[in-house]
Amino acid sequence: MSLLILGIESSCDETGVALVQSPPGDGVPTLLAHALHSQIEMHQAYGGVVPELASRDHIRRVLPLTETVLAESGRRLADVDVVAYTRGPGLAGALLVGAGVACALGAALDKPVLGVHHLEGHLLSPFLSADPPEFPFIALLVSGGHTQLMRVDGVGRYEMLGETIDDAAGEAFDKSAKLMGLGYPGGPALSRLAEQGDPAAFKLPRPLLHSGNLDFSFAGLKTAVLTQAKKLGDDLDARKADLAASTQAAIVDVLVRKTATALQQTGLRRVVVAGGVGANRHLREQLNAACARAQVRVHYPELHLCTDNGAMIAMAAAMRLQAGRQQANRDYAFDVKPRWPLDTLQ
């Protein structure tokens, strides 16, 4: 039976709503419409996300975004079969907004609801692209708070191969940008500045590159960037683009080479990249080149679906239901899981 799934994402500083149509059988679900509001402008004055402000803004945005999605898709709220929402991980207050709205809608419509793992949403988001992957594959999950390599054999069948032991790649981008005075959000600003610089200008460390495992560590790189910035002193402004380019090159080098090692160790021939850092142009170029040499297929989400969004939540719900990994239910009492390791998901 075909299912129309409404997805709500509110884990941090983006409010996302989407409608996904899940076909009968095992066909790939399709995105009908999605709408997104980013809180970046609101948080810029504080240099980072303020949880209370984020929660309040989600309250203001989620229903108008739902109305927009319904209008764009030509569907009615009564047509929705399942309401999906991000259950975790994320900011507790922000998660509660999405969960509360989803369960209230479900109760009002007498429709079942489904809590979704935010990172599984990212992991499965490339299935929304024009070139969806096939199982099994290696997944490189790179976002503001997570850097993980996983073997993915199917929906809910995830084996952790390596993860960050301190700062994630996205944090390394953001914190290095802050050290250079680039403002918020730092990662995209650093990447833009890096386009004008020389990636070989400064010799920065590649932490854990030769560790013999697939774990990551970027805290030491952040410290090296700080040390280099202090050495430059008054020359920092003139050399900032070079420092940004060298920082980006170090992060990307580690991500690409660890991914290549994971492919060699597992013998798999397909890579999926997901999460906000997956939009980074330099990462895509270097990973595409490495995968081309190894004759490995690489898949990405569409650029506009790399950041948090409702489409990935609706898609993850559709695929879990399709695979029989989970059932939507009419139990409208809800909780959220601000900390929720992906490898504990069944």
Side-chain angles (χ1 to χ4, degrees), residues 13-332:
D13 59 348
E14 273 116 2
T15 316
V17 179
L19 272 176
V20 161
Q21 186 82 49
S22 180
D26 58 359
V28 177
T30 55
L31 176 63
L32 301 181
H34 84 105
L36 184 70
H37 175 78
S38 173
Q39 301 174 2
I40 284 175
E41 196 172 307
M42 182 178 71
H43 295 296
Q44 273 177 337
Y46 306 96
V49 177
V50 182
E52 179 64 23
L53 295 180
S55 302
R56 291 180 182 184
D57 200 62
H58 288 309
I59 293 170
R60 285 193 291 266
R61 308 292 179 181
V62 65
L63 291 180
L65 288 173
T66 302
E67 291 170 354
T68 297
V69 164
L70 290 167
E72 287 184 4
S73 65
R75 306 301 174 93
R76 300 171 304 132
L77 198 53
D79 296 330
V80 172
D81 295 302
V82 176
V83 185
Y85 62 93
T86 305
R87 189 180 176 202
L91 301 174
L95 290 166
L96 285 168
V97 174
V101 169
C103 290
L105 281 174
L109 299 168
D110 191 27
K111 297 295 174 67
V113 297
L114 185 66
V116 172
H117 196 294
H118 176 81
L119 295 181
E120 185 173 41
H122 276 302
L123 191 69
L124 299 176
S125 62
F127 284 92
L128 291 161
S129 72
D131 180 29
E134 295 176 4
F135 299 113
F137 53 76
I138 292 296
L140 173 63
L141 188 58
V142 276
S143 66
H146 300 86
T147 302
Q148 298 173 331
L149 275 168
M150 307 193 80
R151 178 187 175 116
V152 179
D153 288 300
V155 177
R157 298 168 59 196
Y158 312 130
E159 178 189 353
M160 186 72 71
L161 302 177
E163 60 185 331
T164 187
I165 60 175
D166 43 54
D167 285 357
E171 289 174 303
F173 271 108
D174 290 339
K175 291 178 180 179
S176 296
K178 191 169 186 178
L179 293 172
M180 298 179 210
L182 298 182
Y184 172 85
L190 187 147
S191 296
R192 286 193 297 272
L193 184 60
E195 300 289 335
Q196 307 164 33
D198 176 8
F202 299 103
K203 190 174 182 180
L204 295 175
R206 269 69 169 162
L208 297 189
L209 191 58
H210 305 291
S211 61
N213 59 37
L214 295 173
D215 288 335
F216 300 89
S217 168
F218 292 104
L221 174 61
K222 175 195 64 182
T223 303
V225 171
L226 174 61
T227 302
Q228 189 60 62
K230 286 181 176 178
K231 280 183 183 177
L232 287 169
D234 293 340
D235 294 330
L236 177 59
D237 281 343
R239 302 293 308 280
K240 199 175 283 187
D242 287 340
L243 185 55
S246 298
T247 303
Q248 177 176 258
I251 296 169
V252 167
D253 193 21
V254 172
L255 294 175
V256 170
R257 291 168 70 175
K258 291 269 185 176
T259 302
T261 301
L263 286 163
Q264 290 169 1
Q265 290 182 1
T266 60
L268 295 180
R269 313 300 299 166
R270 195 179 298 272
V271 175
V272 159
V273 181
V277 181
N280 182 277
R281 189 181 68 82
H282 187 60
L283 173 60
R284 290 192 176 212
E285 287 177 353
Q286 295 300 309
L287 194 57
N288 286 344
C291 288
R293 289 192 297 271
Q295 297 183 308
V296 169
R297 289 288 308 278
V298 58
H299 300 263
Y300 305 93
E302 305 292 349
L303 277 172
H304 67 286
L305 296 177
C306 283
T307 56
D308 298 348
N309 60 82
M312 70 183 196
I313 300 306
M315 173 60 87
M319 294 184 71
R320 286 189 73 77
L321 290 168
Q322 205 174 51
R325 305 296 298 191
Q326 199 169 344
Q327 288 187 336
N329 60 67
R330 287 177 169 80
D331 179 4
Y332 304 117

